[in-house]
Amino acid sequence: MPKISDKQRQARRDQILAAAWRCFFRKGIHATSMEEIIREAELSAGAVYLYFESKDKLILAAISTYMATLRELLLPILTTPESSPPLEFIHEITSAMEKHTRRSEIDLNVVILMCWSEAQTNQQAKELISGFQVNYRAALRLVVRQWQKRGQLKSQGKPDDLAKALLSFFLGFIVQSALLGELDSKTISRGMKGLLMGVGA
């Protein structure tokens, strides 16, 4: 049997994960069987199990891939030496999140919400997801300090408190998009501008 390249191997893995996301989106994580994912991927059972030995492993891989791909989009925004002013920063972050989650066939916001639910009873999923969020919070803390230093943020509150509030806002963007829809980065930017400008000292 001819060997396949790393690129082909990754493409096959991505094919299986994409099939899993579509199935999860339609039926939910636990209502979806491995047999349905195999059919959706249009591969043999042996080919799928070669990459993912169980449904639990596939679920963790789906979460990890989602989070890692989103991180690649967010890191340039979060770690730039000169972060954008608050409103522009919020628009950049929500635009990147929107770009990652809105797809022609599925809304990944819905899938990741299911994965967060899975994390309440799956310790491995919880550790995986919380690890990413802790790192985001640390990065947001540094961004807040930049704003305060440049006078772009009037609040002199603790950067850690403000970072936690910001993270809650961004996570809420995912939740509201998944549950209610009709939400985009432009709407969020307009809403935040009106809210922040309307708050007194």
Side-chain angles (χ1 to χ4, degrees), residues 53-73:
E53 62 186 34
S54 68
K55 183 180 170 184
D56 286 342
K57 296 288 186 182
L58 181 52
I59 291 171
L60 291 174
I63 295 172
S64 178
T65 301
Y66 169 94
M67 300 295 289
T69 305
L70 180 59
R71 179 182 59 191
E72 290 177 6
L73 294 174

Side-chain angles (χ1 to χ4, degrees), residues 155-171:
S155 171
Q156 294 304 311
K158 294 180 180 179
D160 191 53
D161 292 343
L162 299 176
K164 289 177 181 178
L166 269 175
L167 182 60
S168 295
F169 168 78
F170 292 128
L171 296 180

Side-chain angles (χ1 to χ4, degrees), residues 30-184:
H30 291 291
T32 296
S33 67
M34 279 296 283
E35 288 72 22
E36 288 171 314
I37 295 172
I38 291 167
R39 286 198 300 271
E40 184 73 23
E42 299 182 338
L43 295 170
S44 68
V48 172
Y49 280 108
L50 179 65
Y51 289 88
F52 304 102
E53 62 186 34
S54 68
K55 183 180 170 184
D56 286 342
K57 296 288 186 182
L58 181 52
I59 291 171
L60 291 174
I63 295 172
S64 178
T65 301
Y66 169 94
M67 300 295 289
T69 305
L70 180 59
R71 179 182 59 191
E72 290 177 6
L73 294 174
L74 297 182
L75 274 182
I77 305 170
L78 289 166
T79 61
T80 180
E82 188 75 15
S83 62
S84 301
L87 287 175
E88 185 178 338
F89 176 84
I90 288 172
H91 178 71
E92 290 173 351
I93 292 289
T94 52
S95 293
M97 294 168 70
E98 185 180 11
K99 177 182 178 182
H100 177 52
T101 56
R102 298 287 172 82
R103 314 219 171 170
S104 58
E105 297 177 306
I106 63 174
D107 181 353
L108 279 180
N109 287 312
V110 174
V111 178
I112 198 59
L113 203 59
M114 295 178 193
C115 293
W116 288 349
S117 177
E118 175 71 13
Q120 304 311 303
T121 55
N122 184 324
Q123 186 61 30
Q124 285 183 292
K126 183 174 183 179
E127 290 174 0
L128 179 60
I129 293 171
S130 62
F132 279 94
Q133 304 308 329
V134 166
N135 289 332
Y136 285 141
R137 194 163 66 190
L140 288 169
R141 184 163 55 242
L142 296 177
V143 170
V144 167
R145 285 174 177 159
Q146 285 191 44
W147 292 341
Q148 289 178 328
K149 185 177 180 180
R150 297 199 301 255
Q152 293 173 323
L153 191 64
K154 293 182 180 180
S155 171
Q156 294 304 311
K158 294 180 180 179
D160 191 53
D161 292 343
L162 299 176
K164 289 177 181 178
L166 269 175
L167 182 60
S168 295
F169 168 78
F170 292 128
L171 296 180
F173 176 74
I174 293 174
V175 174
Q176 189 175 172
S177 296
L179 296 179
L180 303 180
E182 298 181 357
L183 188 65
D184 54 51

